[in-house]
Amino acid sequence: MTTAQEDFRIDLVIAERLRAYRSEKQHAKVEPNREPLLFGLDLPARVDCMSPVSAFVAEAAQRRGLDATSASILELAIYEACVNVVEHAYKFDASRRFRLDILEEDDRLTFQIVSGGEPLDPGRLRDRPAGAEPVTHRGGRGLGLQIILRAM
């Protein structure tokens, strides 16, 4: 299968999942103790296949009633996290796949990226203290984690 055919197939799968998500949300009864909804998006570890991530996150944000600015910030953070999986966990190995799950509960949306790649060092998840010296980055690289931490 060519890259264009694979991309088209991926877009069709994502469109179908978005339709199912919309349908489920429209027909869901509001019950106080209902099970949270979980939706997943299976993606190849390729940066050029990340556009569906934004559409998937935007749909979830819209369903939850986020304003446009908050939705854009959320999209950016999740997109960046997914690109980090491709780059750092999988080292651009396009044969690998990962999953983006969205768990929708009454008071929150939870995004979870599931991969079998190299894990992130938990020490890197600590935000920099106020007033700390700025981190120097080479050629605009290395800002993704800070973008995610600030956005979320």
Side-chain angles (χ1 to χ4, degrees):
M1 186 178 293
T2 68
T3 301
Q5 289 172 324
E6 184 176 293
D7 290 346
F8 180 71
R9 186 179 59 78
I10 290 168
D11 288 343
L12 288 176
V13 168
I14 289 162
E16 180 58 34
R17 288 198 178 152
L18 285 172
R19 277 194 294 278
Y21 176 74
R22 289 183 192 122
S23 176
E24 181 70 26
K25 286 301 294 169
Q26 289 171 351
H27 296 95
K29 295 179 182 173
V30 178
E31 300 170 15
N33 295 322
R34 74 173 188 212
E35 288 292 314
L37 295 175
L38 177 69
F39 298 94
L41 186 61
D42 183 66
L43 294 160
R46 293 180 24 210
V47 174
D48 63 333
C49 291
M50 292 296 107
S51 61
V53 169
S54 293
F56 201 57
V57 173
E59 180 69 23
Q62 179 184 20
R63 288 279 174 201
R64 294 302 291 185
L66 270 66
D67 62 79
T69 300
S70 297
S72 293
I73 291 169
L74 179 63
E75 283 180 57
L76 175 63
I78 301 301
Y79 178 91
E80 183 62 39
C82 290
V83 169
N84 281 352
V85 167
V86 171
E87 181 178 356
H88 301 292
Y90 287 150
K91 311 287 189 249
F92 297 104
D93 180 353
S95 69
R96 307 284 303 269
R97 298 189 76 78
F98 69 98
R99 195 175 73 235
L100 171 61
D101 291 339
I102 300 175
L103 178 66
E104 185 177 54
E105 299 173 281
D106 290 331
D107 64 342
R108 77 177 89 206
L109 281 174
T110 301
F111 295 85
Q112 179 177 344
I113 298 172
V114 181
S115 79
E118 187 176 317
L120 174 68
D121 171 14
R124 295 192 62 202
L125 293 176
R126 290 188 206 98
D127 207 357
R128 298 186 47 74
E133 288 293 314
V135 178
T136 306
H137 300 283
R138 292 174 291 144
R141 306 270 312 139
L143 297 172
L145 192 54
Q146 289 301 313
I147 290 170
I148 295 166
L149 290 171
R150 298 259 191 257
M152 303 309 285

